[in-house]
Amino acid sequence: MVAVKKRRIAPNVKMARVLRVARELFVEKGYYNVSIPAIVKASGVSTGAIYSYFANKETLARRIHEDTLAEFQQMFLQRLEGKEGVQDKLQVFAELCFDIAESDPVMMEYMLYMKHAEFMTDASPICFTEPFKLVRQYVELGMAEGVIRQQDLYVAAISYTGVILRAVELRLWCVINRPLQEISEDLVINAWAAIKA
Amino acid sequence: MVAVKKRRIAPNVKMARVLRVARELFVEKGYYNVSIPAIVKASGVSTGAIYSYFANKETLARRIHEDTLAEFQQMFLQRLEGKEGVQDKLQVFAELCFDIAESDPVMMEYMLYMKHAEFMTDASPICFTEPFKLVRQYVELGMAEGVIRQQDLYVAAISYTGVILRAVELRLWCVINRPLQEISEDLVINAWAAIKA
DNA sequence: GTCTATAGCCCGATAGAC
DNA sequence: GTCTATCGGGCTATAGAC
């Protein structure tokens, strides 16, 4: 009888598992308080396997960062299809944030809280990433069209996203205990009221 | 000749120095990435002295947390004196945040970013602390008086503070490169526009 | 009270069997 | 590729001289 060591997890899903579990742990405890042994324990993937996928802990974190941002951007672009007005496009951003916060709170928390500069020397602040650049473009367009009050571009973008993202924050902290979709309409009204002409 | 070991730092200012230096390091690197040796090096106070003031690293962090919140609350109450209307009182909160962000960015960054739950098991989220409770009281009053649109109390408070705090955030990240006082007026207008009746 | 030195622990990363 | 075992290093907290 030829004994084959039992693989508890299929090889092709191990990396995905590590990425998912590590993101959850990073969000919960912070990058520096998550050890490789902790990821091994929570994921069921061994140290050796993890180091065969990722050169080191920082590379793993970098991959999580890129994947998460790319996923957000992809969802954002998909929902933007067919939307024309600036107000609608900004609402798409708001509702995407609310939906992710409810369906995948770990992902949303990751996007809001991880101070990537902590461990990634060349990471941009999240507000310079593609989705947030898009939001600023729409705000700029809105001012050009006259539907948004003339003001500093950043001030306007901050005012809209501040309302939305702070709501997400407080929902993730369970300060708000209703699903964001229930108060989505009010929040979108307030955010728009902050900047409309 | 009786030799007396030179004290590089007067004993009565050592603790204050440790608190100030440690807060700066915690904000810059995160609690878990700041070692006692690093605090020793940056403060010039020895390990033994630090452990004579604080039972352990967590106690030091807890003290920083309490001191920082108490200082904010004291400044807030002082500026509130003589202010009557809800709009004025909320503006006091906004301007206080802007002024601290400019004059003591480490303090403001501490208030916004430290995830105290990381190392303090019984810490409240910062939005349940006294200054933020006051803000919610004023918003409640504003709705009762009819100057703020009727809506969920938390939604209204979030909408106002979201505009203000996100601006502070982006200023601390140097995304905004003008002093907040220069755009204070616009931000306060936007925050109020978000919730006014 | 305050110092230096270090004990004891856990980490990230690697070595070497399979 | 994947495993277990372990090394070197840096950490928190303490011990013991002064």
mmCIF file of all heavy atoms in Angstrom, chain B residues 108-156:
data_model
loop_
_atom_site.group_PDB
_atom_site.id
_atom_site.type_symbol
_atom_site.label_atom_id
_atom_site.label_comp_id
_atom_site.label_asym_id
_atom_site.label_seq_id
_atom_site.Cartn_x
_atom_site.Cartn_y
_atom_site.Cartn_z
ATOM 1 N N MET B 108 -4.220 65.374 16.721
ATOM 2 C CA MET B 108 -5.424 65.142 15.919
ATOM 3 C C MET B 108 -5.364 63.781 15.238
ATOM 4 O O MET B 108 -6.361 63.058 15.186
ATOM 5 C CB MET B 108 -5.547 66.258 14.862
ATOM 6 C CG MET B 108 -6.944 66.376 14.299
ATOM 7 S SD MET B 108 -8.168 66.874 15.554
ATOM 8 C CE MET B 108 -9.555 65.841 15.079
ATOM 9 N N GLU B 109 -4.192 63.439 14.751
ATOM 10 C CA GLU B 109 -4.046 62.140 14.093
ATOM 11 C C GLU B 109 -4.330 61.023 15.087
ATOM 12 O O GLU B 109 -4.987 60.042 14.779
ATOM 13 C CB GLU B 109 -2.629 61.996 13.515
ATOM 14 C CG GLU B 109 -2.546 60.932 12.459
ATOM 15 C CD GLU B 109 -1.336 61.114 11.541
ATOM 16 O OE1 GLU B 109 -0.656 62.157 11.628
ATOM 17 O OE2 GLU B 109 -1.081 60.216 10.736
ATOM 18 N N TYR B 110 -3.831 61.208 16.302
ATOM 19 C CA TYR B 110 -4.109 60.218 17.345
ATOM 20 C C TYR B 110 -5.613 60.034 17.519
ATOM 21 O O TYR B 110 -6.123 58.918 17.535
ATOM 22 C CB TYR B 110 -3.477 60.632 18.673
ATOM 23 C CG TYR B 110 -3.702 59.596 19.733
ATOM 24 C CD1 TYR B 110 -2.796 58.564 19.907
ATOM 25 C CD2 TYR B 110 -4.853 59.597 20.512
ATOM 26 C CE1 TYR B 110 -3.025 57.575 20.840
ATOM 27 C CE2 TYR B 110 -5.087 58.618 21.447
ATOM 28 C CZ TYR B 110 -4.174 57.606 21.608
ATOM 29 O OH TYR B 110 -4.411 56.625 22.508
ATOM 30 N N MET B 111 -6.339 61.161 17.614
ATOM 31 C CA MET B 111 -7.781 61.073 17.863
ATOM 32 C C MET B 111 -8.519 60.368 16.727
ATOM 33 O O MET B 111 -9.499 59.679 16.944
ATOM 34 C CB MET B 111 -8.365 62.469 18.087
ATOM 35 C CG MET B 111 -7.891 63.066 19.397
ATOM 36 S SD MET B 111 -9.034 64.261 20.114
ATOM 37 C CE MET B 111 -10.577 63.411 20.117
ATOM 38 N N LEU B 112 -8.022 60.568 15.503
ATOM 39 C CA LEU B 112 -8.724 59.971 14.366
ATOM 40 C C LEU B 112 -8.356 58.515 14.100
ATOM 41 O O LEU B 112 -9.200 57.718 13.723
ATOM 42 C CB LEU B 112 -8.451 60.778 13.095
ATOM 43 C CG LEU B 112 -9.124 62.132 13.002
ATOM 44 C CD1 LEU B 112 -8.792 62.791 11.681
ATOM 45 C CD2 LEU B 112 -10.631 61.999 13.162
ATOM 46 N N TYR B 113 -7.090 58.184 14.280
ATOM 47 C CA TYR B 113 -6.647 56.901 13.746
ATOM 48 C C TYR B 113 -6.441 55.774 14.722
ATOM 49 O O TYR B 113 -6.535 54.615 14.347
ATOM 50 C CB TYR B 113 -5.340 57.086 12.964
ATOM 51 C CG TYR B 113 -5.513 57.982 11.796
ATOM 52 C CD1 TYR B 113 -4.650 59.027 11.554
ATOM 53 C CD2 TYR B 113 -6.586 57.794 10.935
ATOM 54 C CE1 TYR B 113 -4.829 59.862 10.479
ATOM 55 C CE2 TYR B 113 -6.772 58.635 9.867
ATOM 56 C CZ TYR B 113 -5.890 59.667 9.639
ATOM 57 O OH TYR B 113 -6.075 60.487 8.576
ATOM 58 N N MET B 114 -6.064 56.091 15.941
ATOM 59 C CA MET B 114 -5.707 54.993 16.831
ATOM 60 C C MET B 114 -6.903 54.059 17.031
ATOM 61 O O MET B 114 -7.965 54.453 17.461
ATOM 62 C CB MET B 114 -5.236 55.539 18.178
ATOM 63 C CG MET B 114 -3.818 56.072 18.133
ATOM 64 S SD MET B 114 -2.583 54.849 17.604
ATOM 65 C CE MET B 114 -2.119 54.182 19.200
ATOM 66 N N LYS B 115 -6.692 52.830 16.672
ATOM 67 C CA LYS B 115 -7.741 51.834 16.930
ATOM 68 C C LYS B 115 -7.496 51.302 18.332
ATOM 69 O O LYS B 115 -6.801 50.322 18.536
ATOM 70 C CB LYS B 115 -7.679 50.705 15.910
ATOM 71 C CG LYS B 115 -8.091 51.147 14.520
ATOM 72 C CD LYS B 115 -8.069 49.984 13.550
ATOM 73 C CE LYS B 115 -9.147 48.968 13.868
ATOM 74 N NZ LYS B 115 -9.137 47.842 12.925
ATOM 75 N N HIS B 116 -8.082 51.995 19.283
ATOM 76 C CA HIS B 116 -7.725 51.684 20.668
ATOM 77 C C HIS B 116 -8.155 50.296 21.072
ATOM 78 O O HIS B 116 -7.562 49.686 21.944
ATOM 79 C CB HIS B 116 -8.323 52.738 21.586
ATOM 80 C CG HIS B 116 -7.899 54.099 21.203
ATOM 81 N ND1 HIS B 116 -8.647 54.917 20.403
ATOM 82 C CD2 HIS B 116 -6.740 54.743 21.427
ATOM 83 C CE1 HIS B 116 -7.977 56.029 20.183
ATOM 84 N NE2 HIS B 116 -6.821 55.955 20.792
ATOM 85 N N ALA B 117 -9.167 49.827 20.422
ATOM 86 C CA ALA B 117 -9.642 48.480 20.740
ATOM 87 C C ALA B 117 -8.543 47.450 20.520
ATOM 88 O O ALA B 117 -8.547 46.386 21.114
ATOM 89 C CB ALA B 117 -10.864 48.146 19.907
ATOM 90 N N GLU B 118 -7.581 47.808 19.652
ATOM 91 C CA GLU B 118 -6.461 46.917 19.370
ATOM 92 C C GLU B 118 -5.744 46.488 20.637
ATOM 93 O O GLU B 118 -5.307 45.367 20.772
ATOM 94 C CB GLU B 118 -5.438 47.646 18.493
ATOM 95 C CG GLU B 118 -5.368 47.160 17.079
ATOM 96 C CD GLU B 118 -4.317 47.949 16.293
ATOM 97 O OE1 GLU B 118 -3.372 48.457 16.895
ATOM 98 O OE2 GLU B 118 -4.483 48.053 15.089
ATOM 99 N N PHE B 119 -5.559 47.438 21.551
ATOM 100 C CA PHE B 119 -4.763 47.110 22.731
ATOM 101 C C PHE B 119 -5.495 47.411 24.032
ATOM 102 O O PHE B 119 -5.033 47.048 25.098
ATOM 103 C CB PHE B 119 -3.421 47.849 22.706
ATOM 104 C CG PHE B 119 -3.539 49.329 22.584
ATOM 105 C CD1 PHE B 119 -3.655 50.107 23.705
ATOM 106 C CD2 PHE B 119 -3.532 49.927 21.337
ATOM 107 C CE1 PHE B 119 -3.756 51.481 23.590
ATOM 108 C CE2 PHE B 119 -3.637 51.299 21.224
ATOM 109 C CZ PHE B 119 -3.746 52.075 22.349
ATOM 110 N N MET B 120 -6.657 48.084 23.938
ATOM 111 C CA MET B 120 -7.423 48.354 25.143
ATOM 112 C C MET B 120 -8.735 47.595 25.058
ATOM 113 O O MET B 120 -9.596 47.929 24.268
ATOM 114 C CB MET B 120 -7.704 49.842 25.263
ATOM 115 C CG MET B 120 -6.473 50.643 25.671
ATOM 116 S SD MET B 120 -6.747 52.399 25.491
ATOM 117 C CE MET B 120 -8.155 52.633 26.596
ATOM 118 N N THR B 121 -8.866 46.617 25.891
ATOM 119 C CA THR B 121 -10.029 45.734 25.770
ATOM 120 C C THR B 121 -11.339 46.465 26.048
ATOM 121 O O THR B 121 -12.367 46.127 25.481
ATOM 122 C CB THR B 121 -9.901 44.541 26.727
ATOM 123 O OG1 THR B 121 -9.531 45.033 28.019
ATOM 124 C CG2 THR B 121 -8.822 43.584 26.244
ATOM 125 N N ASP B 122 -11.319 47.453 26.944
ATOM 126 C CA ASP B 122 -12.571 48.085 27.350
ATOM 127 C C ASP B 122 -12.750 49.505 26.822
ATOM 128 O O ASP B 122 -13.566 50.259 27.324
ATOM 129 C CB ASP B 122 -12.675 48.092 28.878
ATOM 130 C CG ASP B 122 -11.505 48.863 29.496
ATOM 131 O OD1 ASP B 122 -10.532 49.121 28.760
ATOM 132 O OD2 ASP B 122 -11.577 49.193 30.679
ATOM 133 N N ALA B 123 -11.990 49.874 25.791
ATOM 134 C CA ALA B 123 -12.106 51.238 25.277
ATOM 135 C C ALA B 123 -13.370 51.408 24.439
ATOM 136 O O ALA B 123 -13.767 50.518 23.699
ATOM 137 C CB ALA B 123 -10.885 51.582 24.434
ATOM 138 N N SER B 124 -13.997 52.576 24.572
ATOM 139 C CA SER B 124 -15.146 52.887 23.721
ATOM 140 C C SER B 124 -14.638 53.392 22.384
ATOM 141 O O SER B 124 -13.586 54.014 22.320
ATOM 142 C CB SER B 124 -15.972 54.004 24.353
ATOM 143 O OG SER B 124 -16.239 53.722 25.695
ATOM 144 N N PRO B 125 -15.422 53.156 21.325
ATOM 145 C CA PRO B 125 -15.112 53.861 20.083
ATOM 146 C C PRO B 125 -15.129 55.356 20.369
ATOM 147 O O PRO B 125 -15.871 55.822 21.230
ATOM 148 C CB PRO B 125 -16.264 53.485 19.156
ATOM 149 C CG PRO B 125 -16.826 52.240 19.722
ATOM 150 C CD PRO B 125 -16.587 52.298 21.197
ATOM 151 N N ILE B 126 -14.306 56.064 19.656
ATOM 152 C CA ILE B 126 -14.110 57.474 19.956
ATOM 153 C C ILE B 126 -15.398 58.282 19.814
ATOM 154 O O ILE B 126 -15.588 59.287 20.491
ATOM 155 C CB ILE B 126 -12.993 58.059 19.040
ATOM 156 C CG1 ILE B 126 -12.355 59.262 19.719
ATOM 157 C CG2 ILE B 126 -13.499 58.363 17.650
ATOM 158 C CD1 ILE B 126 -10.944 59.498 19.263
ATOM 159 N N CYS B 127 -16.318 57.797 18.977
ATOM 160 C CA CYS B 127 -17.570 58.527 18.775
ATOM 161 C C CYS B 127 -18.507 58.414 19.966
ATOM 162 O O CYS B 127 -19.546 59.056 20.004
ATOM 163 C CB CYS B 127 -18.252 58.056 17.496
ATOM 164 S SG CYS B 127 -18.376 56.284 17.432
ATOM 165 N N PHE B 128 -18.161 57.577 20.954
ATOM 166 C CA PHE B 128 -18.963 57.515 22.176
ATOM 167 C C PHE B 128 -18.332 58.330 23.297
ATOM 168 O O PHE B 128 -18.823 58.334 24.419
ATOM 169 C CB PHE B 128 -19.126 56.063 22.653
ATOM 170 C CG PHE B 128 -20.126 55.303 21.847
ATOM 171 C CD1 PHE B 128 -19.995 53.940 21.660
ATOM 172 C CD2 PHE B 128 -21.219 55.944 21.267
ATOM 173 C CE1 PHE B 128 -20.911 53.222 20.909
ATOM 174 C CE2 PHE B 128 -22.143 55.231 20.503
ATOM 175 C CZ PHE B 128 -21.992 53.872 20.326
ATOM 176 N N THR B 129 -17.247 59.013 22.986
ATOM 177 C CA THR B 129 -16.593 59.821 24.011
ATOM 178 C C THR B 129 -17.326 61.149 24.161
ATOM 179 O O THR B 129 -18.142 61.528 23.311
ATOM 180 C CB THR B 129 -15.119 60.059 23.654
ATOM 181 O OG1 THR B 129 -15.069 60.677 22.376
ATOM 182 C CG2 THR B 129 -14.359 58.737 23.622
ATOM 183 N N GLU B 130 -16.998 61.864 25.212
ATOM 184 C CA GLU B 130 -17.741 63.075 25.574
ATOM 185 C C GLU B 130 -17.882 64.112 24.459
ATOM 186 O O GLU B 130 -19.000 64.575 24.201
ATOM 187 C CB GLU B 130 -17.102 63.714 26.812
ATOM 188 C CG GLU B 130 -17.259 62.874 28.082
ATOM 189 C CD GLU B 130 -18.705 62.516 28.398
ATOM 190 O OE1 GLU B 130 -19.604 63.362 28.174
ATOM 191 O OE2 GLU B 130 -18.957 61.374 28.828
ATOM 192 N N PRO B 131 -16.799 64.467 23.765
ATOM 193 C CA PRO B 131 -16.960 65.513 22.745
ATOM 194 C C PRO B 131 -17.977 65.127 21.671
ATOM 195 O O PRO B 131 -18.781 65.960 21.230
ATOM 196 C CB PRO B 131 -15.561 65.635 22.129
ATOM 197 C CG PRO B 131 -14.632 65.062 23.135
ATOM 198 C CD PRO B 131 -15.394 64.031 23.891
ATOM 199 N N PHE B 132 -17.964 63.859 21.283
ATOM 200 C CA PHE B 132 -18.867 63.437 20.218
ATOM 201 C C PHE B 132 -20.303 63.295 20.717
ATOM 202 O O PHE B 132 -21.249 63.499 19.968
ATOM 203 C CB PHE B 132 -18.344 62.164 19.561
ATOM 204 C CG PHE B 132 -17.126 62.424 18.724
ATOM 205 C CD1 PHE B 132 -15.866 62.490 19.307
ATOM 206 C CD2 PHE B 132 -17.241 62.663 17.371
ATOM 207 C CE1 PHE B 132 -14.739 62.779 18.546
ATOM 208 C CE2 PHE B 132 -16.125 62.957 16.597
ATOM 209 C CZ PHE B 132 -14.860 63.019 17.185
ATOM 210 N N LYS B 133 -20.439 62.973 22.005
ATOM 211 C CA LYS B 133 -21.786 62.976 22.596
ATOM 212 C C LYS B 133 -22.353 64.383 22.584
ATOM 213 O O LYS B 133 -23.539 64.589 22.295
ATOM 214 C CB LYS B 133 -21.720 62.462 24.039
ATOM 215 C CG LYS B 133 -21.669 60.947 24.154
ATOM 216 C CD LYS B 133 -21.896 60.550 25.616
ATOM 217 C CE LYS B 133 -21.131 59.296 25.974
ATOM 218 N NZ LYS B 133 -20.954 59.127 27.433
ATOM 219 N N LEU B 134 -21.508 65.358 22.883
ATOM 220 C CA LEU B 134 -21.947 66.761 22.865
ATOM 221 C C LEU B 134 -22.443 67.150 21.481
ATOM 222 O O LEU B 134 -23.491 67.782 21.348
ATOM 223 C CB LEU B 134 -20.788 67.680 23.261
ATOM 224 C CG LEU B 134 -20.707 68.103 24.727
ATOM 225 C CD1 LEU B 134 -19.498 69.008 24.939
ATOM 226 C CD2 LEU B 134 -21.980 68.829 25.148
ATOM 227 N N VAL B 135 -21.688 66.765 20.453
ATOM 228 C CA VAL B 135 -22.084 67.092 19.092
ATOM 229 C C VAL B 135 -23.474 66.525 18.799
ATOM 230 O O VAL B 135 -24.338 67.204 18.248
ATOM 231 C CB VAL B 135 -21.053 66.563 18.061
ATOM 232 C CG1 VAL B 135 -21.623 66.600 16.653
ATOM 233 C CG2 VAL B 135 -19.765 67.372 18.145
ATOM 234 N N ARG B 136 -23.677 65.271 19.207
ATOM 235 C CA ARG B 136 -25.005 64.678 18.959
ATOM 236 C C ARG B 136 -26.098 65.415 19.712
ATOM 237 O O ARG B 136 -27.210 65.608 19.189
ATOM 238 C CB ARG B 136 -25.003 63.199 19.345
ATOM 239 C CG ARG B 136 -24.523 62.305 18.216
ATOM 240 C CD ARG B 136 -24.935 60.857 18.421
ATOM 241 N NE ARG B 136 -24.341 60.284 19.609
ATOM 242 C CZ ARG B 136 -23.094 59.803 19.658
ATOM 243 N NH1 ARG B 136 -22.339 59.827 18.585
ATOM 244 N NH2 ARG B 136 -22.624 59.307 20.776
ATOM 245 N N GLN B 137 -25.794 65.874 20.926
ATOM 246 C CA GLN B 137 -26.792 66.649 21.680
ATOM 247 C C GLN B 137 -27.193 67.914 20.933
ATOM 248 O O GLN B 137 -28.375 68.264 20.874
ATOM 249 C CB GLN B 137 -26.218 67.052 23.043
ATOM 250 C CG GLN B 137 -26.395 66.012 24.120
ATOM 251 C CD GLN B 137 -25.747 66.476 25.428
ATOM 252 O OE1 GLN B 137 -25.688 67.670 25.698
ATOM 253 N NE2 GLN B 137 -25.262 65.526 26.206
ATOM 254 N N TYR B 138 -26.191 68.599 20.372
ATOM 255 C CA TYR B 138 -26.488 69.838 19.667
ATOM 256 C C TYR B 138 -27.315 69.561 18.421
ATOM 257 O O TYR B 138 -28.225 70.321 18.085
ATOM 258 C CB TYR B 138 -25.195 70.582 19.320
ATOM 259 C CG TYR B 138 -24.424 70.994 20.540
ATOM 260 C CD1 TYR B 138 -23.039 70.948 20.578
ATOM 261 C CD2 TYR B 138 -25.091 71.419 21.688
ATOM 262 C CE1 TYR B 138 -22.331 71.322 21.709
ATOM 263 C CE2 TYR B 138 -24.396 71.791 22.825
ATOM 264 C CZ TYR B 138 -23.017 71.735 22.834
ATOM 265 O OH TYR B 138 -22.329 72.092 23.958
ATOM 266 N N VAL B 139 -27.008 68.466 17.748
ATOM 267 C CA VAL B 139 -27.778 68.120 16.553
ATOM 268 C C VAL B 139 -29.238 67.825 16.941
ATOM 269 O O VAL B 139 -30.179 68.270 16.274
ATOM 270 C CB VAL B 139 -27.152 66.906 15.832
ATOM 271 C CG1 VAL B 139 -28.082 66.378 14.754
ATOM 272 C CG2 VAL B 139 -25.801 67.288 15.218
ATOM 273 N N GLU B 140 -29.394 67.129 18.039
ATOM 274 C CA GLU B 140 -30.736 66.803 18.526
ATOM 275 C C GLU B 140 -31.517 68.088 18.818
ATOM 276 O O GLU B 140 -32.686 68.245 18.447
ATOM 277 C CB GLU B 140 -30.620 65.942 19.791
ATOM 278 C CG GLU B 140 -31.903 65.229 20.155
ATOM 279 C CD GLU B 140 -31.649 64.122 21.186
ATOM 280 O OE1 GLU B 140 -30.595 64.179 21.879
ATOM 281 O OE2 GLU B 140 -32.496 63.223 21.287
ATOM 282 N N LEU B 141 -30.829 69.004 19.490
ATOM 283 C CA LEU B 141 -31.419 70.302 19.816
ATOM 284 C C LEU B 141 -31.821 71.036 18.536
ATOM 285 O O LEU B 141 -32.916 71.613 18.440
ATOM 286 C CB LEU B 141 -30.385 71.116 20.602
ATOM 287 C CG LEU B 141 -30.830 72.421 21.252
ATOM 288 C CD1 LEU B 141 -31.949 72.162 22.265
ATOM 289 C CD2 LEU B 141 -29.637 73.091 21.953
ATOM 290 N N GLY B 142 -30.932 70.988 17.543
ATOM 291 C CA GLY B 142 -31.194 71.664 16.271
ATOM 292 C C GLY B 142 -32.436 71.119 15.575
ATOM 293 O O GLY B 142 -33.202 71.871 14.969
ATOM 294 N N MET B 143 -32.633 69.816 15.673
ATOM 295 C CA MET B 143 -33.837 69.237 15.062
ATOM 296 C C MET B 143 -35.078 69.659 15.845
ATOM 297 O O MET B 143 -36.128 69.947 15.265
ATOM 298 C CB MET B 143 -33.707 67.721 15.001
ATOM 299 C CG MET B 143 -32.733 67.280 13.904
ATOM 300 S SD MET B 143 -32.927 65.577 13.378
ATOM 301 C CE MET B 143 -32.141 64.744 14.741
ATOM 302 N N ALA B 144 -34.952 69.693 17.165
ATOM 303 C CA ALA B 144 -36.086 70.115 18.002
ATOM 304 C C ALA B 144 -36.460 71.566 17.695
ATOM 305 O O ALA B 144 -37.645 71.923 17.662
ATOM 306 C CB ALA B 144 -35.725 69.955 19.483
ATOM 307 N N GLU B 145 -35.452 72.375 17.458
ATOM 308 C CA GLU B 145 -35.698 73.799 17.160
ATOM 309 C C GLU B 145 -36.145 74.021 15.724
ATOM 310 O O GLU B 145 -36.570 75.119 15.373
ATOM 311 C CB GLU B 145 -34.407 74.612 17.401
ATOM 312 C CG GLU B 145 -34.028 74.771 18.862
ATOM 313 C CD GLU B 145 -32.677 75.486 19.014
ATOM 314 O OE1 GLU B 145 -32.007 75.715 17.972
ATOM 315 O OE2 GLU B 145 -32.294 75.798 20.142
ATOM 316 N N GLY B 146 -35.966 73.006 14.898
ATOM 317 C CA GLY B 146 -36.396 73.124 13.503
ATOM 318 C C GLY B 146 -35.357 73.721 12.571
ATOM 319 O O GLY B 146 -35.642 73.972 11.403
ATOM 320 N N VAL B 147 -34.123 73.974 13.074
ATOM 321 C CA VAL B 147 -33.104 74.528 12.174
ATOM 322 C C VAL B 147 -32.377 73.419 11.413
ATOM 323 O O VAL B 147 -31.683 73.680 10.427
ATOM 324 C CB VAL B 147 -32.072 75.405 12.935
ATOM 325 C CG1 VAL B 147 -32.745 76.670 13.464
ATOM 326 C CG2 VAL B 147 -31.404 74.624 14.059
ATOM 327 N N ILE B 148 -32.518 72.183 11.895
ATOM 328 C CA ILE B 148 -31.948 71.031 11.192
ATOM 329 C C ILE B 148 -33.106 70.146 10.722
ATOM 330 O O ILE B 148 -34.074 69.941 11.460
ATOM 331 C CB ILE B 148 -30.990 70.228 12.111
ATOM 332 C CG1 ILE B 148 -29.754 71.067 12.464
ATOM 333 C CG2 ILE B 148 -30.574 68.907 11.453
ATOM 334 C CD1 ILE B 148 -28.812 70.421 13.467
ATOM 335 N N ARG B 149 -32.986 69.670 9.477
ATOM 336 C CA ARG B 149 -34.012 68.815 8.887
ATOM 337 C C ARG B 149 -34.290 67.599 9.769
ATOM 338 O O ARG B 149 -33.357 66.985 10.287
ATOM 339 C CB ARG B 149 -33.535 68.356 7.507
ATOM 340 C CG ARG B 149 -34.607 68.273 6.462
ATOM 341 C CD ARG B 149 -34.065 67.784 5.117
ATOM 342 N NE ARG B 149 -32.767 68.327 4.768
ATOM 343 C CZ ARG B 149 -31.667 67.588 4.607
ATOM 344 N NH1 ARG B 149 -31.711 66.272 4.750
ATOM 345 N NH2 ARG B 149 -30.521 68.167 4.282
ATOM 346 N N GLN B 150 -35.541 67.246 9.929
ATOM 347 C CA GLN B 150 -35.904 66.062 10.708
ATOM 348 C C GLN B 150 -35.340 64.803 10.068
ATOM 349 O O GLN B 150 -35.524 64.562 8.881
ATOM 350 C CB GLN B 150 -37.437 65.921 10.789
ATOM 351 C CG GLN B 150 -38.085 66.817 11.816
ATOM 352 C CD GLN B 150 -37.582 66.584 13.240
ATOM 353 O OE1 GLN B 150 -37.308 65.450 13.621
ATOM 354 N NE2 GLN B 150 -37.425 67.659 13.996
ATOM 355 N N GLN B 151 -34.608 64.036 10.843
ATOM 356 C CA GLN B 151 -34.032 62.787 10.337
ATOM 357 C C GLN B 151 -33.454 62.007 11.498
ATOM 358 O O GLN B 151 -33.468 62.482 12.635
ATOM 359 C CB GLN B 151 -32.935 63.087 9.310
ATOM 360 C CG GLN B 151 -31.793 63.948 9.851
ATOM 361 C CD GLN B 151 -30.867 64.470 8.771
ATOM 362 O OE1 GLN B 151 -30.245 63.690 8.080
ATOM 363 N NE2 GLN B 151 -30.822 65.785 8.609
ATOM 364 N N ASP B 152 -32.977 60.835 11.220
ATOM 365 C CA ASP B 152 -32.297 60.033 12.235
ATOM 366 C C ASP B 152 -31.166 60.855 12.853
ATOM 367 O O ASP B 152 -30.379 61.472 12.125
ATOM 368 C CB ASP B 152 -31.756 58.753 11.584
ATOM 369 C CG ASP B 152 -31.073 57.845 12.592
ATOM 370 O OD1 ASP B 152 -29.897 58.091 12.928
ATOM 371 O OD2 ASP B 152 -31.738 56.893 13.040
ATOM 372 N N LEU B 153 -31.081 60.826 14.169
ATOM 373 C CA LEU B 153 -30.075 61.633 14.868
ATOM 374 C C LEU B 153 -28.656 61.278 14.436
ATOM 375 O O LEU B 153 -27.830 62.160 14.177
ATOM 376 C CB LEU B 153 -30.232 61.437 16.383
ATOM 377 C CG LEU B 153 -29.161 62.051 17.286
ATOM 378 C CD1 LEU B 153 -29.077 63.553 17.068
ATOM 379 C CD2 LEU B 153 -29.458 61.737 18.745
ATOM 380 N N TYR B 154 -28.387 60.003 14.352
ATOM 381 C CA TYR B 154 -27.037 59.582 13.975
ATOM 382 C C TYR B 154 -26.718 59.978 12.541
ATOM 383 O O TYR B 154 -25.595 60.394 12.244
ATOM 384 C CB TYR B 154 -26.866 58.067 14.150
ATOM 385 C CG TYR B 154 -26.567 57.673 15.568
ATOM 386 C CD1 TYR B 154 -27.578 57.316 16.446
ATOM 387 C CD2 TYR B 154 -25.262 57.677 16.041
ATOM 388 C CE1 TYR B 154 -27.303 56.967 17.759
ATOM 389 C CE2 TYR B 154 -24.968 57.332 17.344
ATOM 390 C CZ TYR B 154 -25.998 56.968 18.206
ATOM 391 O OH TYR B 154 -25.713 56.639 19.490
ATOM 392 N N VAL B 155 -27.677 59.840 11.654
ATOM 393 C CA VAL B 155 -27.450 60.211 10.252
ATOM 394 C C VAL B 155 -27.074 61.684 10.158
ATOM 395 O O VAL B 155 -26.127 62.056 9.453
ATOM 396 C CB VAL B 155 -28.702 59.916 9.391
ATOM 397 C CG1 VAL B 155 -28.561 60.526 8.005
ATOM 398 C CG2 VAL B 155 -28.926 58.408 9.286
ATOM 399 N N ALA B 156 -27.760 62.513 10.904
ATOM 400 C CA ALA B 156 -27.467 63.950 10.864
ATOM 401 C C ALA B 156 -26.085 64.250 11.448
ATOM 402 O O ALA B 156 -25.295 64.991 10.859
ATOM 403 C CB ALA B 156 -28.548 64.719 11.622
#
